[in-house]
Amino acid sequence: HIERTIHKGVEPKARVRLLFTGEYDFNRENNYALYSLRDVLNIKLREVVREDKSGTYGIRVSASANNIPKESYQLSISFGCAPDRVDELTQTVHNVLDSVKTSGIDEKYISNVQETDLRSFETDLEKNGYWLGKLEQYHRLQWDPKDILTYPDLVNSLSVEAIQKAAQTYFDGENVAKFILLPEE
């Protein structure tokens, strides 16, 4: 666990970044679950932190899976807010993460992610750049290129349970860093 607070600048704004990292089993299914978790949380955290709490203009969840030099993942949640709301909104984020880990997520978030992914896949299939990138990636990873066309099966297999399991795995509390930027006093 790492926590750093930096006081810099004069603007009455704070920036918060929560970083979760760890070891990872790099494969197609885990990658899809990780990126789907990111997509679900982008929607859910925007609703809760921005719309319900009026705490920020925007909150962003990003994710990456790496297999070189070692298999690892990184999930990052970042947002700006008023300095006096840092603790409240950080706790709200943790509450949402805990809720997803223990209770799962509403099916509407899964459907939203699936619809978006299937629509993107349909349009991507018509682009040479997509094919070039995917063929290069599958060759480099020594995956069967025929699996490119089975992506809709992967999307349709996404479930509330899969997102809950991913949240339990990637937000396990082992490697967490919290960075806060506050104005100078």
Side-chain angles (χ1 to χ4, degrees):
H1 292 272
I2 298 171
E3 278 195 41
R4 299 284 186 268
T5 301
I6 299 167
H7 293 270
K8 200 76 173 159
V10 294
E11 210 174 347
K13 284 183 5 183
R15 294 281 317 153
V16 177
R17 183 170 185 196
L18 304 172
L19 188 62
F20 303 83
T21 61
E23 293 180 4
Y24 185 73
D25 183 12
F26 190 94
N27 63 53
R28 190 170 176 248
E29 290 75 20
N30 287 347
N31 291 357
Y32 186 68
L34 177 69
Y35 294 122
S36 296
L37 175 62
R38 171 203 61 199
D39 295 343
V40 164
L41 288 174
N42 267 315
I43 299 166
K44 180 69 175 174
L45 289 171
R46 183 188 67 237
E47 287 177 359
V48 173
V49 178
R50 178 181 174 184
E51 296 168 12
D52 295 348
K53 296 274 188 181
S54 299
T56 184
Y57 284 114
I59 185 163
R60 180 171 186 262
V61 182
S62 60
S64 65
N66 302 299
N67 65 331
I68 296 173
K70 66 178 188 169
E71 294 183 349
S72 63
Y73 75 91
Q74 180 175 309
L75 269 158
S76 171
I77 301 171
S78 57
F79 60 92
C81 64
D84 61 340
R85 295 194 69 192
V86 166
D87 292 336
E88 170 203 355
L89 297 176
T90 301
Q91 186 58 52
T92 298
V93 169
H94 282 293
N95 291 346
V96 169
L97 298 180
D98 289 342
S99 173
V100 174
K101 285 167 43 178
T102 58
S103 307
I105 193 95
D106 191 288
E107 181 68 39
K108 71 180 182 179
Y109 298 100
I110 305 297
S111 297
N112 188 318
V113 168
Q114 287 174 315
E115 286 175 32
T116 302
D117 289 348
L118 290 173
R119 203 172 320 114
S120 293
F121 179 71
E122 259 182 48
T123 57
D124 287 344
L125 285 177
E126 299 173 9
K127 299 175 185 170
N128 288 337
Y130 172 81
W131 280 103
L132 182 63
K134 283 295 178 189
L135 288 169
E136 183 275 328
Q137 176 189 31
Y138 276 59
H139 175 75
R140 183 175 38 83
L141 296 170
Q142 298 178 349
W143 292 350
D144 186 350
K146 292 178 192 166
D147 286 340
I148 295 170
L149 295 175
T150 65
Y151 181 74
D153 297 335
L154 191 60
V155 172
N156 290 323
S157 73
L158 187 64
S159 65
V160 170
E161 294 78 21
I163 291 297
Q164 183 177 8
K165 183 179 178 211
Q168 291 166 348
T169 301
Y170 305 125
F171 297 120
D172 65 0
E174 291 297 314
N175 296 310
V176 183
K178 178 170 132 181
F179 302 100
I180 302 169
L181 174 64
L182 294 170
E184 290 183 59
E185 296 172 347

